[in-house]
Amino acid sequence: MAVTLADVAARAGVSAATVSRVLSGSYPVTEGTRGRVLRAVAELEYVVDGPASALAGAGSDLVGIVVNDIADPFFGVLAGAVQGELGGAGPGGEKLAVVCSTGGSAARELDHLTHLQRQRAAAVVLTGGAPEDPGHARALTAKLARLAATGTRVVLCGRPPQEPEVTAGAVGAVGAAGAAVGRARGAVPPVTLAFDNRGGARRLTAHLLALGHRRIGCVTGPAGRTTTTERLAGHRDALAAHGVVDVPALTVPGAYDRSSGYDAALELLRREPRLTAVVAANDTAALGVCAALRDRGLRIPEDVSVAGFDDLPFSVDAAPALTTVRLPLREAGARAGRLALGRAVAPPGGVARLPAELLVRESTGPVRPAATSAGGAEGAGGAVSGPIGSGRVGA
């Protein structure tokens, strides 16, 4: 059910006229009263009626694209592909894209969604991984349910599907009246386009293992993000499938940037000087890994193989060209844009899992003979000696 001016007045303990004065800014009110009214507006997520909302009312031309970092090529490709679908004379008409960058802040993500709701955005495309915080997951799902209930189309692009129990609780919080309003306004349930991060990471590490590598360092993304967890899980899946021990010291947390990859590579070499391969959180971090290895006088891939993830535009032009996992970023963004405008049919169950493709290039190669012999019997499946070396388990 839509929140009214009277609801805000009741929550703030003032009259409806006072709420109007605060929101219009045309009459003086005390700071204490103004603060109570604004808190009530935020808590109830009241959508202000007025020039701004009239401009973005029914039939809004606004589509919000929420990204982690617009300077990150991953999000730039996604956002550009979404925006490319918002023009033309197809169903939904031409729309204006508004890109909202969260900077990795879960709170800012919710704030952006609140602002888009107040502007009555025609659609919202939420991109990239999600924070692994149950409280945020509940708040986000409730927010998306409110958006859908007011007629805003919601697409999750590059995110895992929302948990059913969390979704059920959030929808319950919106209430039956809100659901009825949503049905009356033609509400469309959120659609998810999820990347196969885990499967892609599994295939990437399996490729290195097939080349004879056993001392494989892993530079992960930020802790507490679904993308980081999924890619690390895939790496560990491959190690387990090949009977190789997952040595915690060979995993270094980082971020999705070059400097993080550089620092993480130096730390891995400090922990295990006989390292023969590194899988990085993404292609940008992989460039940092390559730079660190070169600064230490190591050749790629003759001494150390390096692999990235995402197949960002520059990866094929790196020297050497990066072995990586291709995610269909442009295709996913374009599909999300069409779904946001109702120009594409939603997948069965509202969830589509998009494949990840291994691309083998020049930055990975067979483990060097010296590294194999240094390990004792690494290539033959024997345990790797040394302070940290990981080896096969059993026969």
Side-chain angles (χ1 to χ4, degrees):
M1 181 179 296
V3 177
T4 66
L5 198 72
D7 295 327
V8 176
R11 173 66 67 92
V14 298
S15 68
T18 298
V19 174
S20 294
R21 293 188 185 102
V22 170
L23 297 179
S24 68
S26 55
Y27 295 92
V29 294
T30 65
E31 280 302 311
T33 299
R34 182 176 180 276
R36 291 202 308 277
V37 170
L38 293 180
R39 279 195 300 274
V41 167
E43 291 168 0
L44 297 175
E45 296 184 358
Y46 174 62
V47 177
V48 180
D49 289 323
S53 58
L55 196 61
S60 168
D61 290 334
L62 208 65
V63 173
I65 306 172
V66 183
V67 303
N68 186 309
D69 179 7
I70 193 58
D72 185 329
F74 177 97
F75 294 102
V77 171
L78 280 176
V82 173
Q83 186 170 4
E85 297 293 325
L86 303 185
E94 188 167 359
K95 302 296 180 185
L96 174 67
V98 176
V99 180
C100 309
S101 184
T102 69
S105 166
R108 193 173 300 167
E109 180 175 83
L110 296 175
D111 288 342
H112 285 321
L113 292 174
T114 297
H115 289 307
L116 290 168
Q117 181 187 355
R118 289 174 180 169
Q119 292 296 318
R120 293 185 171 90
V124 170
V125 179
L126 196 59
T127 66
E132 293 182 314
D133 175 5
H136 176 74
R138 287 190 296 271
L140 175 64
T141 304
K143 185 78 68 178
L144 297 181
R146 291 189 185 97
L147 281 163
T150 57
T152 298
R153 292 179 182 270
V154 176
V155 182
L156 308 183
C157 185
R159 286 206 171 199
Q162 295 176 290
E163 295 294 334
E165 59 272 18
V166 175
T167 302
V171 171
V174 173
V181 170
R183 287 191 296 272
R185 298 185 180 184
V188 178
V191 175
T192 299
L193 305 178
F195 293 136
D196 184 17
N197 284 300
R198 184 166 185 166
R202 181 173 60 249
R203 286 186 282 277
L204 186 61
T205 298
H207 161 67
L208 292 171
L209 291 164
L211 292 173
H213 296 279
R214 294 299 180 268
R215 297 186 186 93
I216 303 173
C218 181
V219 179
T220 71
R225 305 288 300 186
T226 55
T227 300
T228 299
T229 298
E230 291 168 356
R231 294 182 184 182
L232 181 57
H235 170 68
R236 289 172 171 167
D237 287 344
L239 294 178
H242 286 74
V244 176
V245 175
D246 174 31
V247 179
L250 291 181
T251 298
V252 176
Y256 297 114
D257 56 45
R258 183 186 181 281
S259 62
S260 178
Y262 187 98
D263 293 341
L266 294 181
E267 176 61 20
L268 284 168
L269 288 172
R270 186 190 68 79
R271 296 180 184 184
E272 175 50 276
R274 297 172 302 166
L275 199 70
T276 67
V278 178
V279 289
N282 70 347
D283 294 337
T284 306
L287 291 186
V289 171
C290 291
L293 295 174
R294 284 193 295 266
D295 286 352
R296 286 297 181 93
L298 296 170
R299 300 165 299 165
I300 305 163
E302 292 85 356
D303 297 319
V304 182
S305 289
V306 178
F309 208 106
D310 294 334
D311 191 31
L312 298 176
F314 58 78
S315 62
V316 70
D317 295 319
L322 277 175
T323 290
T324 188
V325 171
R326 179 186 181 273
L327 294 181
L329 299 179
R330 287 187 177 84
E331 297 90 333
R335 186 176 178 183
R338 293 192 296 272
L339 286 165
L341 297 186
R343 297 176 182 173
V345 178
V351 177
R353 297 188 181 275
L354 308 182
E357 177 187 3
L358 174 65
L359 298 180
V360 178
R361 296 186 179 126
E362 290 76 27
S363 67
T364 56
V367 67
R368 62 189 186 279
T372 301
S373 60
E378 183 179 81
V384 176
S385 62
I388 298 178
S390 67
R392 292 184 181 275
V393 178

